[in-house]
């Protein structure tokens, strides 16, 4: 079955799919790889159409990511959306965290744990599955390190569509439960995420899965576009301006590239003025899975796949699809990348929690730990406004810090016991 955009979707600003490697152009369809060079495809837009979008139009929109519908490839018709209405998550001023890591300029945390299934994946899934419905797919699927599985299963349940999601068998229990509870099929695969992703890439080519939309395989170009809304929101929440520095976690590297792309688009279509010195993009990975960081530190474009280890399982993609493009964005903007080991990740989670009241999953711990390293090494300017991105909820990865925190006191239910424990001075 050929899945192309329904004729009814005439209001989209998207004009084509374009290969990021060779520039070949294709019609809008359920296609993720270039037929010429096998490079990844991304959505290209009618720039003149985007330039007609105004701040006032966006502000008058719904209080979720669909306020940016005029900038997205799908979703212009509210009735056609497959969505939990994520987005417009808090941008939290983090003065105490700034002081703790040595920043003098304002520091903000973009907290995407406030999304419906408590991660930024709700953004990409809402866009991908809205495209999938337009293409006529009748089942939703994904390969996932956890958060994506949660989101696809929840979206499918809301839409009344069958789902089948594939995860590594050793995934955190919290993420298994928060996927299985939605009632779709959950397939645990004995292998790494890269093994899971490879299996899904094979399944999508079979007749049995011809009507299944794998959000990060056959509709991946649309999936990736949902991440741009994070960049749009940050700029809007800062009063329509772009921060001087951003620090983002990296798994595939796609989130970093799309936030950078969103900033560039906002400047190009006239919605914001760029910072006088531009903006710089910084990436963060776990020491147990840092192939993009390793390539940057080695001064090469060759990203050598790794077998992931460590507690930051949501970032454990050993062969990152957008790694090369993340390197390009970081180099072009004058940013940097670094990694954090498991101990630093745990401390990053605790530091963020005690300075901001935000409990992050391990990916957030990675980002905060790397923020601290970037300041200490002089790579990140302590006098430039900075935004760090928390992409998921700490309740999903309790095991990471469960042995490090607990009751400060244990008392009997009596005043005497409380006094003897030191609670009364």
């Amino acid at each position: 079955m050929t899945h192309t955009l329904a004729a009814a979707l005439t209001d989209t600003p998207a004009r084509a799919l374009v290969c990021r490697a060779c520039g070949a152009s294709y019609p809008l369809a359920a296609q993720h790889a270039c037929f010429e060079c096998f490079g990844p495809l991304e959505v290209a837009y009618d720039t003149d159409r985007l330039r007609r979008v105004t701040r006032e139009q966006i502000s008058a929109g719904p209080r979720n990511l669909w306020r940016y519908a005029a900038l997205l490839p799908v979703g212009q018709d509210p009735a056609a959306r497959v969505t939990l209405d994520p987005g417009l998550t808090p941008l939290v001023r983090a003065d105490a965290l700034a002081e703790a890591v040595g920043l003098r300029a304002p520091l903000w945390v973009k907290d995407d744990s406030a999304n419906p299934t408590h991660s930024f994946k709700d953004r990409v899934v809402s866009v991908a599955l809205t495209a999938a419905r337009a293409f006529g797919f009748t089942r939703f699927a994904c390969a996932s390190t956890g958060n994506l599985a949660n989101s696809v299963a929840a979206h499918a349940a809301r839409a009344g569509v069958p789902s089948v999601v594939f995860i590594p068998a050793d995934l955190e229990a919290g993420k298994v439960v928060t996927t299985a509870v939605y009632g779709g099929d959950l397939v645990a695969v004995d292998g790494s995420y890269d093994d899971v992703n490879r299996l899904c890439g094979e399944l999508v080519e079979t007749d049995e899965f011809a009507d299944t939309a794998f959000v990060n395989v056959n509709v991946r170009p649309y999936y990736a576009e949902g991440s741009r809304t994070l960049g749009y929101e940050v700029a809007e929440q800062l009063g329509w301006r772009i921060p001087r520095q951003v620090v983002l976690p990296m798994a595939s590297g796609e989130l970093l590239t799309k936030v950078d792309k969103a900033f560039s688009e906002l400047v190009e279509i006239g919605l914001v003025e760029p910072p006088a010195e531009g903006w710089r993009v910084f990436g963060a990975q776990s020491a147990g899975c840092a192939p993009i960081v390793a390539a940057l530190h080695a001064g090469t474009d060759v990203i050598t796949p790794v077998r992931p280890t460590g507690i930051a399982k949501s970032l454990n993609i050993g062969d990152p699809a957008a790694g090369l493009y993340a390197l390009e964005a970081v180099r072009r903007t004058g940013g940097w990348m670094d990694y954090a080991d498991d101990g630093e990740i745990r401390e990053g989670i605790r530091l963020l929690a005690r300075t901001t009241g935000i409990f992050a999953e391990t990916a957030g711990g990675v980002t905060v730990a790397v923020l601290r390293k970037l300041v200490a090494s002089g790579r990140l300017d302590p006098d430039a406004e900075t935004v760090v991105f928390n992409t998921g909820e700490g309740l999903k990865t309790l095991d990471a810090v469960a042995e490090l925190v607990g009751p400060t006191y244990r008392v009997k239910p009596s005043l005497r016991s409380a006094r003897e424990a030191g609670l009364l001075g």
Side-chain angles (χ1 to χ4, degrees):
M1 180 176 179
T2 301
H3 294 281
T4 56
L5 273 179
L9 288 182
T10 56
D11 199 32
T12 175
R15 59 173 178 81
L17 296 178
V18 175
C19 178
R20 294 167 85 165
C22 74
S25 181
Y26 299 89
L28 295 168
Q31 178 184 341
H32 66 287
C34 176
F35 295 147
E36 301 294 327
C37 72
F38 303 107
L41 301 181
E42 68 175 354
V43 178
Y45 294 89
D46 179 342
T47 305
D48 289 337
R49 173 82 175 270
L50 297 185
R51 286 196 179 104
R52 294 200 291 270
V53 178
T54 66
R55 296 179 184 179
E56 292 74 21
Q57 177 184 348
I58 291 170
S59 297
R63 295 190 61 78
N64 54 57
L65 68 77
W66 297 113
R67 66 201 285 108
Y68 308 109
L71 303 174
L72 294 173
V74 293
Q76 288 72 36
D77 177 5
R81 296 169 186 162
V82 177
T83 188
L84 301 178
D85 290 331
L88 217 61
T89 53
L91 184 67
V92 179
R93 179 73 177 248
D95 292 344
L97 177 59
E99 183 178 1
V101 301
L103 285 175
R104 293 181 288 271
L107 173 65
W108 305 85
V109 178
K110 180 58 172 169
D111 184 19
D112 245 31
S113 69
N115 278 316
T117 71
H118 309 290
S119 86
F120 88 99
K121 292 296 187 181
D122 288 335
R123 298 174 182 274
V124 294
V125 171
S126 282
V127 176
L129 293 186
T130 297
R133 172 176 278 176
F135 293 145
F137 288 104
T138 57
R139 182 169 60 169
F140 301 153
C142 69
S144 176
T145 57
N147 286 324
L148 184 59
N150 294 174
S151 188
V152 169
H155 277 77
R158 175 76 63 87
V161 175
S163 68
V164 52
V165 299
F166 297 79
I167 60 171
D170 66 348
L171 202 60
E172 300 99 332
K175 290 181 179 176
V176 175
V177 171
T178 51
T179 298
V181 71
Y182 296 110
D185 288 330
L186 176 61
V187 182
V189 179
D190 292 326
S192 69
Y193 169 80
D194 297 288
D195 297 322
V196 175
N197 193 47
R198 190 159 41 250
L199 172 61
C200 290
E202 294 170 357
L203 289 171
V204 79
E205 299 297 333
T206 66
D207 290 342
E208 292 83 354
F209 281 81
D211 285 323
T212 302
F214 283 81
V215 298
N216 50 349
V217 185
N218 52 354
V219 291
R220 184 176 181 85
Y222 311 92
Y223 161 92
E225 293 301 282
S227 293
R228 291 159 60 232
T229 63
L230 264 168
Y232 298 154
E233 279 182 25
V234 166
E236 183 181 2
Q237 289 171 318
L238 288 175
W240 291 108
R241 58 187 176 81
I242 296 172
R244 180 73 177 87
Q245 303 174 140
V246 292
V247 186
L248 301 109
M250 297 186 301
S252 71
E254 195 71 271
L255 174 62
L256 182 149
T257 70
K258 292 302 184 182
V259 169
D260 175 63
K261 181 183 178 184
F263 290 163
S264 296
E265 288 173 340
L266 290 175
V267 171
E268 183 180 9
I269 65 179
L271 286 177
V272 301
E273 293 292 330
E277 299 178 355
W279 62 87
R280 297 198 295 160
V281 179
F282 297 83
Q285 290 197 291
S286 159
C289 186
I292 312 175
V293 173
L296 180 72
H297 289 191
T300 180
D301 286 337
V302 178
I303 297 175
T304 303
V306 300
R307 192 75 175 179
T309 61
I311 63 172
K313 293 181 180 180
S314 64
L315 301 183
N316 277 357
I317 297 180
D319 189 8
L324 184 62
Y325 306 104
L327 286 172
E328 187 279 328
V330 166
R331 287 169 173 155
R332 172 175 42 78
T333 63
W336 192 246
M337 301 176 182
D338 217 323
Y339 58 79
D341 63 32
D342 285 358
E344 291 168 328
I345 294 168
R346 291 187 174 98
E347 176 51 31
I349 293 171
R350 297 176 70 188
L351 177 61
L352 180 65
R354 66 176 178 258
T355 57
T356 67
I358 296 170
F359 182 22
E361 68 165 4
T362 48
V366 169
T367 308
V368 172
V370 167
L371 168 70
R372 180 178 245 171
K373 281 188 168 183
L374 292 168
V375 176
S377 67
R379 294 281 185 179
L380 192 142
D381 183 354
D383 294 310
E385 182 178 48
T386 303
V387 176
V388 298
F389 290 72
N390 176 44
T391 53
E393 166 64 59
L395 292 173
K396 297 185 180 188
T397 58
L398 289 172
D399 288 352
V401 293
E403 294 183 359
L404 303 177
V405 297
T408 307
Y409 301 94
R410 186 174 296 276
V411 301
K412 294 182 173 59
S414 70
L415 191 60
R416 177 179 177 180
S417 179
R419 181 172 283 111
E420 289 174 348
L423 285 174
L424 301 176

